[in-house]
Amino acid sequence: MNEAGWLRLSERWLRLLLRLYPPDFREAMGPALVEAYRDRCRAALRGRGTGAVIGIWLGALADSVRNGPGERMRPAVQWRRGGNWGRDMEIAIRRLVRAPLFVASVVGTLAVGLGVFAVVSTVVYRVLVAPLPYQHPGDLYFVWRDYRAFFNLDRGWLGGTDVAELQKAGGVIEGAAALSSSRRTLTAGAGVDPAEITVFGTSPNLFRLLGAAPELGRSFADAESGPGAPPLIVLTHQLWQRLGGNRAIVGTDVRLNGAPYTVIGVMPKSFGFARHSSLGPAETPDAYIALDVKLAATRPGAGMFAGLLRARHGTPPAQVTQAVAAVARIVDARDFKSRGLKLYPVALRGDLVAAVRPALRVLGAAGLLLVLVLAVNLSTLLLARTMQREREFAVSRALGANPGAIMRATLVEGSVLGGLGGAVGALAAVWGTRVLVSLAPADLPRREYVAMDWGLASGVVLTGAVLGLLAAAVPALWGARVKLSSLLSAVAVRGGGGHGRMRRVLVVVQVALSLMMLGTAGLVVRSFGRLLRADPGFDPAGVLSVRVPVSGQRFPDTTAVLVLQDRLQASLSAINGVSVVSATSALPLTAGPDQTTMGVPGAPGNTGDDAHDHPLVDYMGVRIGYFGAMRIRILAGRDFEPSRVDGGTEVVVDRAFSDYFFPAPAAAIGARVRIDSDTMTIVGVVNQARQYEVDHDGRPQLYYRAENAGYRSLSWVMRSERPASSLAPEVRAAIRQVDPELAMSELLPMRVIRNQSLSQQRVSAVLIGTFAMGALLLAAMGLFGVVAAAVTRRRHELAVRLALGADHPRLLRLVLGEGMRLVLVGILIGLPGTWLAGRLVRSILVGTSASDPLALGAAATGLVVVTVAACYLPARRVLRIEPSRSMRDDTL
């Protein structure tokens, strides 16, 4: 083969080896490598022969195998394959690496803001948006009774006859289930302390309606309910874990109130269900048992069941409402002689989240507003960075760089910063979400599902990148659209006016948004302050409570129960430092009382209208000394007598009760109260100890003697001068001393119970306040930067003014006035937005107007104080200007 043939073969060999390199490498370097390779092969042939050429081939093979894959894996190469954007990405990262302080400040600010936003958005998504873990959850409804034809209650439990009628309705109603809730003492063998758990009694078809099946074992069969049905139980995954998590538990027995129940199934960890209450928070069960009653045989007037309904898939809500209303007409005509009983359905999700939806919407809106403030602040920072690079842009434009390149560089830099901030914020949100869940109300719907996952974390990172891209659009457009002559002249005078105007506009926007956030926070915090100062009708300081249920199987005789409760009271009273011990069937602020209708014959407040004269009231049993232990003020009459007399015919009522029927509390003393066929005498009127909300009265209240009413499960209250929490070990020991098999639950100071009742408002106030402080800090940072840039830009002008006779204080006022004008303009622009924000949060305000002048005035004042400080600090640099030195430096 001649020389030309060897050279052609060598070239083909090299081009084959170049396939190991990425396409952009072959494009850029391939022709030069081929030419150099040909020259080496030609020289080898002429000097050393074909053996040397083969050696060059083998060396080229080794180099390509070693370097080609590595070149393909280089990130810079991957980015370059994307064209100009890829090269800009690589350049932007290198440029940011050389500015670590700038990157740290921007990423830190974004991480905090996006982290808080991620926490709130996680809660909002999980509670309000994420699908419920049931089959076709949109077809599930809770059904309620509207009792307003009988008394003032528009949301009440169903009767068993209502559910039985829904079950056989057919049409768009595929099925219905009844649920009742009870607290029972669980004992499960040696090594497991007795515990009070929440048990749901259900129709056997509950799990089929939900489209859920046990992880272990099975659910109830249709024949396994009603009178005489076998005692069976299905455990939740959480209770199963508490009992040891042994898979062999299926088929074994546990005891509820002393009676054996056979475990037939364990629900999956992902399964959760709550029965909403007509009166208080939703209830989450620990276990399920089948109802031991026949629904159609229950008393129609006794509302005791929650009703769950599944509609045919895809049925519009309006048709479901019509179908339920048709069932209501049947029940009303048959059982209530057409007096006007109504039933109505509420979508399952809507029913569960109704109480928290307003607060979560407000928090979501506040989070979005904070993100908007972050975007504006990031735009300000990037615009300042663009200003610092004016000389670079001017030189680049003079050398032929097009505006698109400048625009791409700024956009890429913003997106990189935003993505980094989002990534750090997502990591912080994992921890923050756990903290928020620990602070959130125990009755927060779907609380157990509130957690960050990869999908939500990716969304936060993407939000950060998009936020950075949008924020960079302002400086990018300025850098791309400004004329070259203007850019060069701006550099010549060390800072132009175009970017200055744009930064001032951005700062005004930040101030306006910050005022909206501060005004909203002021309203929410002022509302929360009113709640903290509200009188709940009792004094929680120094009171410890504990619930002790007494099993009917172990103590079937009422006399034995009373003896046990007397022993408990004596044992608790013997604890060192305890001054008063008593008990109640329903602690304040727990929504625990029973309800009944009652009348006061001959009372001045009667109108002759049966519904008005027989209102729905809360009734509770209390032991002697309860009003003193809780420091509930007696307004008229007396407490119960220490001796157990009169067979339970004495009652104490609250102020709301006496006001309903009598002109003054004293007028109620001695009046006779009729409940069904029983008649009792009012012996005292007390202040209302609020059961539902701390800030205003609920239903009228009536108190029985617990001993005479036969209450078995009581919450004991102990007042002591010692810290309530320090009594807990001694309280446990005292109860164990009376009976080691008694269960205990809810061992809490009353101050904690009061605080828990305000947890939703507290979380809202803390989060919105945090948002507002963050927005204020960002606005202050923006103002600081604007004033500092103004001093730098006008340094020569200020030096000239000083040389011509102006003094430093006058120049300080001049520069400070520029910043304050921005603040005042921002406040004027933000005032209408503040009013709109107040209207948005009014649904969660208590005792506070949406336009409360004190809260809004304090927000505006705080904004002015902080922003004045932010303006004054950089403006003081004017005092260090020396005219001669400054003008000499500018000349040089």
Side-chain angles (χ1 to χ4, degrees):
M1 191 181 334
N2 59 19
E3 180 180 324
W6 279 102
L7 292 178
R8 284 195 300 273
L9 186 59
S10 299
E11 181 177 342
R12 290 173 184 172
W13 174 246
L14 181 60
R15 291 190 183 279
L16 179 63
L17 294 179
L18 284 174
R19 293 289 179 184
L20 296 174
Y21 291 86
D24 61 332
F25 182 90
R26 294 198 300 270
E27 260 183 53
M29 306 295 294
L33 285 175
V34 170
E35 188 62 32
Y37 187 68
R38 283 172 59 88
D39 291 342
R40 287 182 61 196
C41 289
R42 185 181 294 109
L45 281 170
R46 291 175 179 177
R48 289 174 291 172
T50 57
V53 173
I54 293 175
I56 292 174
W57 289 359
L58 294 176
L61 174 62
D63 289 342
S64 299
V65 170
R66 183 175 63 252
N67 298 326
E71 188 69 22
R72 282 183 176 273
M73 296 175 64
R74 277 183 56 203
V77 173
Q78 297 288 344
W79 291 333
R80 279 200 296 271
R81 290 177 197 158
N84 290 331
W85 287 97
R87 285 194 294 273
D88 287 340
M89 178 73 76
E90 182 180 3
I91 293 169
I93 291 177
R94 289 177 179 174
R95 186 182 295 117
L96 291 174
V97 168
R98 292 195 296 268
L101 292 179
F102 171 76
V103 172
S105 62
V106 172
V107 171
T109 302
L110 283 173
V112 173
L114 289 174
V116 175
F117 170 72
V119 170
V120 173
S121 60
T122 298
V123 175
V124 173
Y125 174 77
R126 294 294 188 194
V127 175
L128 298 184
V129 180
L132 297 171
Y134 312 128
Q135 181 182 14
H136 302 308
D139 299 328
L140 293 170
Y141 297 82
F142 274 122
V143 183
W144 299 97
R145 268 184 176 180
D146 184 343
Y147 282 100
R148 283 177 294 185
F150 305 88
F151 43 81
N152 187 25
L153 180 66
D154 62 351
R155 182 183 175 89
W157 297 125
L158 300 186
T161 51
D162 302 343
V163 181
E165 200 65 38
L166 288 169
Q167 287 176 337
K168 64 182 184 182
V172 302
I173 300 176
E174 285 193 352
L179 298 102
S180 66
S181 176
S182 61
R183 306 283 293 274
R184 304 198 184 191
T185 300
L186 171 73
T187 50
V192 180
D193 290 335
E196 189 177 39
I197 63 172
T198 300
V199 179
F200 276 9
T202 75
S203 303
N205 63 337
L206 172 68
F207 300 115
R208 293 196 299 275
L209 288 181
L210 296 174
E215 178 182 350
L216 300 176
R218 63 177 180 87
S219 59
F220 305 109
D222 288 336
E224 293 173 336
S225 70
L232 307 175
I233 187 170
V234 174
L235 308 179
T236 62
H237 189 274
Q238 291 74 18
L239 180 58
W240 175 58
Q241 289 292 328
R242 284 165 53 188
L243 297 179
N246 189 343
R247 299 178 70 89
I249 196 172
V250 176
T252 64
D253 286 351
V254 297
R255 289 183 173 272
L256 297 181
N257 288 351
Y261 281 75
T262 302
V263 178
I264 62 170
V266 177
M267 297 305 294
K269 184 178 181 180
S270 60
F271 176 79
F273 185 72
R275 181 193 80 154
H276 208 294
S277 171
S278 64
L279 305 168
E283 295 177 294
T284 302
D286 297 297
Y288 300 85
I289 61 175
L291 289 172
D292 58 0
V293 298
K294 186 176 181 181
L295 294 174
T298 56
R299 186 163 59 91
M304 63 181 71
F305 299 105
L308 181 71
L309 176 149
R310 175 173 284 281
R312 191 174 61 233
H313 183 52
T315 302
Q319 291 188 23
V320 178
T321 301
Q322 293 173 3
V324 171
V327 171
R329 288 191 291 270
I330 295 173
V331 174
D332 184 41
R334 183 188 63 206
D335 300 327
F336 295 92
K337 300 179 180 179
S338 299
R339 293 175 60 192
L341 180 77
K342 296 179 181 178
L343 306 179
Y344 62 93
V346 181
L348 178 61
R349 180 194 293 279
D351 199 61
L352 290 175
V353 304
V356 300
R357 183 187 287 113
L360 290 182
R361 284 179 173 174
V362 169
L363 289 177
L368 290 174
L369 192 58
L370 180 62
V371 169
L372 184 57
V373 175
L374 275 174
V376 176
N377 184 261
L378 184 56
S379 294
T380 305
L381 293 174
L382 291 176
L383 189 59
R385 183 168 170 79
T386 303
M387 178 191 70
Q388 295 171 359
R389 296 169 57 197
E390 279 180 335
R391 187 179 297 275
E392 173 192 337
F393 288 158
V395 173
S396 299
R397 292 284 297 277
L399 293 177
N402 59 39
I406 296 175
M407 186 173 181
R408 282 199 313 272
T410 308
L411 291 175
V412 169
E413 191 170 296
S415 63
V416 170
L417 288 170
L420 285 174
V424 179
L427 291 175
V430 174
W431 171 81
T433 302
R434 294 172 182 169
V435 173
L436 181 61
V437 169
S438 68
L439 298 176
D443 59 326
L444 176 69
R446 311 196 67 198
R447 191 173 187 262
E448 64 275 16
Y449 297 107
V450 177
M452 288 284 291
D453 59 18
W454 286 108
L456 291 171
S458 301
V460 176
V461 177
L462 180 61
T463 300
V466 172
L467 187 66
L469 195 64
L470 294 175
V474 174
L477 288 173
W478 175 83
R481 296 182 63 182
V482 69
K483 295 180 180 179
L484 180 58
S485 58
S486 302
L487 196 54
L488 291 173
S489 63
V491 172
V493 298
R494 299 189 179 184
H499 64 266
R501 286 190 296 273
M502 192 171 294
R503 288 189 71 190
R504 288 192 290 273
V505 169
L506 292 173
V507 168
V508 167
V509 173
Q510 284 188 79
V511 172
L513 293 174
S514 299
L515 180 62
M516 293 174 59
M517 291 288 291
L518 284 170
T520 302
L523 292 172
V524 175
V525 170
R526 184 162 167 77
S527 171
F528 182 64
R530 288 182 179 273
L531 286 175
L532 289 177
R533 294 190 300 271
D535 178 14
F538 65 96
D539 181 8
V543 178
L544 181 69
S545 68
V546 60
R547 179 177 165 83
V548 182
V550 177
S551 167
Q553 278 72 21
R554 291 189 61 221
F555 298 92
D557 182 61
T558 303
T559 302
V561 173
L562 293 177
V563 171
L564 177 68
Q565 291 174 346
D566 288 342
R567 291 176 59 204
L568 279 172
Q569 187 160 0
S571 181
L572 294 173
S573 299
I575 296 174
N576 182 37
V578 172
S579 57
V580 186
V581 175
S582 188
T584 178
S585 63
L587 283 172
L589 299 177
T590 61
D594 297 314
Q595 291 79 38
T596 188
T597 56
M598 45 72 58
V600 183
N606 288 338
T607 64
D609 177 65
D610 187 69
H612 174 274
D613 296 346
H614 292 81
L616 189 70
V617 301
D618 293 336
Y619 69 92
M620 295 150 280
V622 297
R623 288 179 67 87
I624 188 68
Y626 175 73
F627 302 117
M630 299 295 287
R631 291 185 181 169
I632 300 173
R633 190 157 56 98
I634 297 178
L635 305 176
R638 60 172 174 82
D639 196 349
F640 294 111
E641 295 289 350
S643 58
R644 295 174 187 158
V645 295
D646 70 31
T649 61
E650 291 184 346
V651 294
V652 173
V653 299
D654 75 332
R655 178 67 179 262
F657 187 102
S658 69
D659 289 348
Y660 192 89
F661 288 102
F662 301 96
I669 305 301
R672 306 285 285 177
V673 177
R674 179 177 291 278
I675 301 176
D676 296 329
S677 59
D678 297 327
T679 302
M680 290 149 286
T681 303
I682 298 175
V683 297
V685 177
V686 298
N687 200 24
Q688 182 172 104
R690 290 164 174 163
Q691 287 287 331
Y692 306 101
E693 297 177 79
V694 73
D695 59 299
H696 64 268
D697 289 343
R699 295 185 183 87
Q701 296 175 353
L702 184 144
Y703 295 91
Y704 293 97
R705 281 286 294 264
E707 302 95 315
N708 296 330
Y711 282 100
R712 292 179 172 273
S713 297
L714 295 175
S715 293
W716 294 85
V717 291
M718 293 139 277
R719 178 167 291 279
S720 171
E721 297 302 320
R722 294 169 53 188
S725 56
S726 69
L727 297 174
E730 296 170 67
V731 168
R732 291 191 184 95
I735 295 173
R736 290 280 181 260
Q737 183 180 2
V738 173
D739 189 330
E741 294 188 28
L742 287 176
M744 289 175 279
S745 62
E746 300 169 9
L747 182 58
L748 294 170
M750 285 304 301
R751 191 181 295 276
V752 172
I753 292 176
R754 184 183 188 279
N755 291 339
Q756 287 178 347
S757 72
L758 301 176
S759 56
Q760 177 182 313
Q761 294 88 344
R762 178 180 290 105
V763 170
S764 299
V766 169
L767 286 178
I768 293 178
T770 301
F771 293 164
M773 292 300 103
L776 179 60
L777 178 61
L778 293 175
M781 290 169 57
L783 273 168
F784 184 97
V786 165
V787 176
V791 173
T792 301
R793 186 178 68 250
R794 301 174 62 185
R795 190 178 186 87
H796 179 77
E797 172 201 337
L798 296 173
V800 171
R801 287 175 179 266
L802 285 170
L804 294 177
D807 57 5
H808 282 94
R810 182 176 179 182
L811 295 186
L812 179 62
R813 289 193 298 272
L814 177 68
V815 175
L816 193 60
E818 181 177 343
M820 289 310 302
R821 282 193 294 272
L822 298 180
V823 174
L824 294 176
V825 172
I827 289 176
L828 290 175
I829 294 175
L831 284 175
T834 304
W835 181 81
L836 291 175
R839 305 288 290 178
L840 175 66
V841 301
R842 63 179 176 178
S843 60
I844 65 171
L845 299 180
V846 176
T848 303
S849 168
S851 56
D852 184 74
L854 184 59
L856 300 182
T861 302
L863 180 61
V864 170
V865 170
V866 172
T867 51
V868 166
C871 294
Y872 178 72
L873 292 176
R876 291 180 70 248
R877 296 168 59 184
V878 171
L879 303 178
R880 297 196 295 268
I881 295 177
E882 298 179 11
S884 59
R885 182 177 179 180
S886 179
M887 295 175 71
R888 182 174 63 252
D889 291 344
D890 289 338
T891 303
L892 295 176

